[in-house]
Structure formats: C-alpha cells, structure tokens
Amino acid sequence: MTYPATTDLCDANEDRIATGALRVLAPGWRSFGGLKGFAGPAVTLKAFEDNTQVRTILGEPGEGRVLVVDGGGSMRCAMVGGNLGVLAAKNGWAGVLVNGCVRDTRELAACEVGIYALATHPQKSVKANGGQRDIAVQFPGGVVRPGDWVYADEDGVLVSDISLG
C-alpha cells in the first residue's frame, strides 16, 4: 500500500495544523517493522504495562487499520514483540504505534507491517487483561481518537480527524 509522505501532508495542510485538525506528534518515534511507513484509521487502546488486549485486538481482521497503543510511555517493559508483529501482519493491520517499548526487534523487522515505538526493552509485559479500548488517548503532541487517520514514516507521525489521501 502506498501512503503520502508526512512532510508533504504537513506542507499541504498548514491550515489544518493551525486549527488542530492535523496533529504532529512529538518527535522520537523509531521504526521497528518491516514497513517503514504506513497510514490508516486508528483503533485505540490505553494499557499500562499489560499487553493482553494488544494481542486480542491484533487477532482481529486489521482491514488496513492502525493499532494505537497508549502504554503511558513506560520504559519498564515491551508492549509488542515478534509474535504480535507476525499476528498484525497476518491479519492485515497497516501499522502499530506504541507509546512505550517493543522487543524482538529482529523478528519485528521481518514482519510486513509498520511498527513504531519509543524504544526497546527485553522484558515482556504482564498479562492482567487490563486496558481500555476505543477511547481518546493523549500522546505527546496530540490526542488520538478512534477513527482518526494515522500517518507515519521516517520523518514523523501525524494524526488527522479525516483521511488526507
């Protein structure tokens, strides 16, 4: 799938940035998946150091959507690893955006899905079946709501209230 470059979207939508309809998330995202860029409508999840719901959601048909995981920016464990990367690719997810850490980076790099996160951590998360799905999540730089469009590439991550093509 092709996706527009985030730089081009910013240049063409300065008015939407000014109104907050297009949000530029704070820098610092790193690409870990086999695809270096992706775009799609957001499915949101807020889950702190517990990836049980991440697995559940990625087990569903992705239909080109992006799973946006608000892990609270935790640097104490990974929310996505190699098995979940394989699951996301197999089920047709365009991407996974994690406000937190991932692990199994060699495995993630072999998956045909975009995966962006803040850092890596070798320890897995707990399994307590916690989390809230389909709610607005606050990321550094802006809020992400269910159905918002997420655009990610090597230059950054954007969130729009509508598809920008």
Side-chain angles (χ1 to χ4, degrees):
M1 174 183 171
T2 61
Y3 55 91
T6 58
T7 53
D8 293 342
L9 289 174
C10 284
D11 292 351
N13 292 281
E14 291 178 354
D15 57 331
R16 296 182 59 71
I17 293 172
T19 66
L22 177 61
R23 297 161 304 279
V24 180
L25 298 187
W29 298 99
R30 294 175 51 197
S31 174
F32 296 98
L35 302 180
K36 298 304 174 197
F38 56 87
V43 172
T44 61
L45 174 67
K46 184 173 186 169
F48 187 73
E49 298 180 356
D50 177 356
N51 77 347
T52 310
Q53 294 299 318
V54 174
R55 176 176 295 283
T56 299
I57 294 169
L58 292 177
E60 301 170 3
E63 301 169 336
R65 295 176 294 169
V66 175
L67 177 57
V68 177
V69 181
D70 180 3
S74 173
M75 296 289 145
R76 300 188 316 187
C77 68
M79 293 294 286
V80 172
N83 291 336
L84 294 184
V86 169
L87 190 62
K90 176 183 146 211
N91 288 328
W93 289 85
V96 180
L97 182 67
V98 181
N99 184 15
C101 296
V102 297
R103 68 186 210 157
D104 301 321
T105 57
R106 291 180 200 148
E107 294 173 32
L108 293 177
C111 297
E112 285 297 308
V113 65
I115 300 173
Y116 275 52
L118 300 177
T120 60
H121 197 291
Q123 185 177 337
K124 65 183 178 180
S125 75
V126 299
K127 310 287 188 251
N129 204 28
Q132 297 173 281
R133 181 179 176 165
D134 296 327
I135 63 168
V137 292
Q138 182 66 48
F139 275 45
V143 66
V144 183
R145 294 175 188 86
D148 281 350
W149 275 75
V150 177
Y151 300 88
D153 64 19
E154 299 88 344
D155 291 314
V157 179
L158 307 177
V159 179
S160 174
D161 58 353
I162 63 169
S163 171
L164 299 175

